[in-house]
Amino acid sequence: MSEETKKTEEQKEATEVKKTTAKAKTTKAKAEKPAKIKEEAAKEVETTTESVEAAKEEAVTEVKATTETEEAVKEEVVEAPKVEVVNPEEFLENFDWHMYEEGIEAVDEENLKAFEAALDGTLGLVNEREVIEGTVIRKTDREAIIDINSKSEGVISLNEFRYNPNLAVGDVVEVLVDKREDSTGQLVLSHKKARVIKAWDRVNNAHETGEVVNGFVKCRTRGGMIVDVFGIEAFLPGSQIDVKPIRDYDQYVEKTMEFKVVKINHEFKNVVVSHKALIEADIEIQKKEIIGKLEKGQVLEGVVKNITSYGVFVDLGGVDGLVHITDLSWSRINHPSEVVELDQTLNVVILDFDDEKTRIQLGLKQLNAHPWEALDDTIKVGDTVKGKVVVLADYGAFIEVAQGVEGLIHVSEMSWSTHLRSAQDFVKVGDEVEAQVLTLDREDRKMSLGIKQLHPDPWNAIAEKYPVGSKHTGTVRNYTNFGVFVELEEGIDGLVYISDLSWTKKIKHPSDFTTVGDKLEVQVLELDVEGRKLNLGHKQTTENPWDAHEEKFAIDSIHEGTVKDKSDKGLIVSFEDGVEAFVPSRFTTKEDGTKLAKGDTDKFKVIEFNKEFRRVVASHTSIFKAQEEKNIKVAQKKAESADKTTLGDLGGDLAALKKKMEGK
């Protein structure tokens, strides 16, 4: 018998022994039913079962034996065991139930494990879910054939090797044994699964050691990028791509870059990587060198990193500094983008920094001479200059008379009028205006301007134009609690006190009489040229009706009026010609004893008249009281004529008069 035949027979016998052993192991589990029988059967198995090593040697011996020996062995196996007469109880105790049910003897668990250990490393045996190395022995358009030194090769789709387009025959790759045999007997392998398993070990190791790993940027996602690291999809936040803000994420897609693993979430299988961490390590070294050399007044070159509404951040080579908007240009600007743009390289000067040199204040305009130094030396106070309105405020307007040189026109210098208004009433941003230089301080770099000085002062000729007693028409510009401001012309305002608005009406507030913008007839009452004060009156433009009222509403005169208002103190009664009179409450009782009410119309008697204070006091009760007094006087005269009237008649008349006076 040849050597190859012997080896084949040995392998067959070893396989048969292993199957027999496995079957014995299975039958042993089924035989464990009654506890007592189980113990007895186990003892029997221990007594009758040979060791696995002995079985293996016997198998090898049998292969080498001659055909006659094999026949002898068969006869020996087939030969029935000798039956001995035993006691029934003893027979039941020693009966081999496993042999009876399964047809084979049970194998000891320890012997079975020893046998399996002996088979480890035997050619062609692989474990499922094990990651091993295989060799690419052939490639097709769609698949790669992998040899793992087993009884058959495995087939893996090339899709699992997309990350490695240079895969070639002979390459050694890691694979996972999914199944040793599928339904068709084919070995099932997976490179992708093996790569993921190994990848987690590599990623964890890289995270612990800080190792730099290579990753392939697959695509862009919300807030960052997806990176393939060892076959695992890791997340690269946008803030971790570079030390400066990134505006175009697409430039990194499908590129291989170096990263550091900064975070791992084992529960959710998430990995976060950073490219910025690698850059920061290098920048930190540069940053220390730059910070150590910083000095005020030093000029450095930088790149515009970010633009905000309040200033510009400049990268000085790992150290960021801020150029405030006021330090960008000597001229006023609304936004830094008017002067610089992103990624622009420019020179800046260091203005200041804190003790730790973490906050650096930079300047751009300081690299150029101050515009005030270039201002024309011939400009002096009293000169007329032209400029553009650059800033407006309620208190005035800033005029740029030269590049970076501004002057302030206060609102009081915009008009000769003493009635102050907002600067927006005169100019707006962008207007080109002419103004006169009022003050000029080159050291403090301040300049005040005026517009009204370019026009003649109307107060210079006011005495001739608006003499006392003259009448004019003006415009109501404003009013206060005590009066109304009336503008006669631009720069000439006068005040009409509330008492000079009407001869007859009692006005509580000027808004009850007139409104802003109304035309109003006025008369000049007083004029103060030096103090620029003009006192006007409106009622003086008409005749004083109280001159006529003095005669008409003489004391004891009776007039018909209507109760306009009523209070605890008395009544306000309106008479003709708009005259109003006050009736004290003690004089509001009617002849029948009731009180006058609001809206009642009746007769009233004037008991007081004051022309100066335009005051009229009247009484309703005094009308019938006077008649009563007159009747009493008549009765007294009758009493004195005793010769014409009897005492009884006189008593009756007096009694009747008394009842009438008492209102009975």
Side-chain angles (χ1 to χ4, degrees), residues 472-486:
H472 310 276
T473 300
T475 303
V476 177
R477 290 300 183 191
N478 193 15
Y479 44 69
T480 64
N481 292 331
F482 55 83
V484 179
F485 286 98
V486 178

Side-chain angles (χ1 to χ4, degrees), residues 333-400:
I333 57 175
N334 296 319
H335 196 272
S337 58
E338 298 176 15
V339 180
V340 297
E341 58 185 18
L342 286 173
D343 299 327
Q344 179 182 348
T345 301
L346 44 77
N347 290 328
V348 290
V349 61
I350 297 177
L351 302 180
D352 199 3
F353 47 77
D354 58 9
D355 294 337
E356 291 78 19
K357 298 182 180 180
T358 55
R359 293 184 179 180
I360 305 173
Q361 182 181 346
L362 305 175
L364 181 63
K365 71 180 184 180
Q366 287 78 6
L367 296 176
N368 301 317
H370 198 287
W372 274 85
E373 298 175 2
L375 184 65
D376 191 351
D377 294 335
T378 60
I379 296 179
K380 60 183 181 301
V381 175
D383 288 351
T384 300
V385 294
K386 292 183 178 181
K388 182 174 68 174
V389 179
V390 290
V391 176
L392 267 182
D394 289 338
Y395 57 85
F398 288 92
I399 312 299
E400 187 176 49

Side-chain angles (χ1 to χ4, degrees), residues 561-564 571 573 590 595-602 604:
T562 302
V563 179
K564 180 181 177 181
L571 307 176
V573 179
K590 295 191 289 185
K595 296 283 188 177
L596 287 169
K598 185 177 180 179
D600 289 350
T601 300
D602 214 324
F604 297 87

Side-chain angles (χ1 to χ4, degrees), residues 132-146:
I132 59 177
E133 290 186 345
T135 305
V136 180
I137 59 174
R138 187 158 57 91
K139 278 182 64 178
T140 66
D141 293 339
R142 296 183 178 180
E143 299 169 330
I145 312 302
I146 310 297

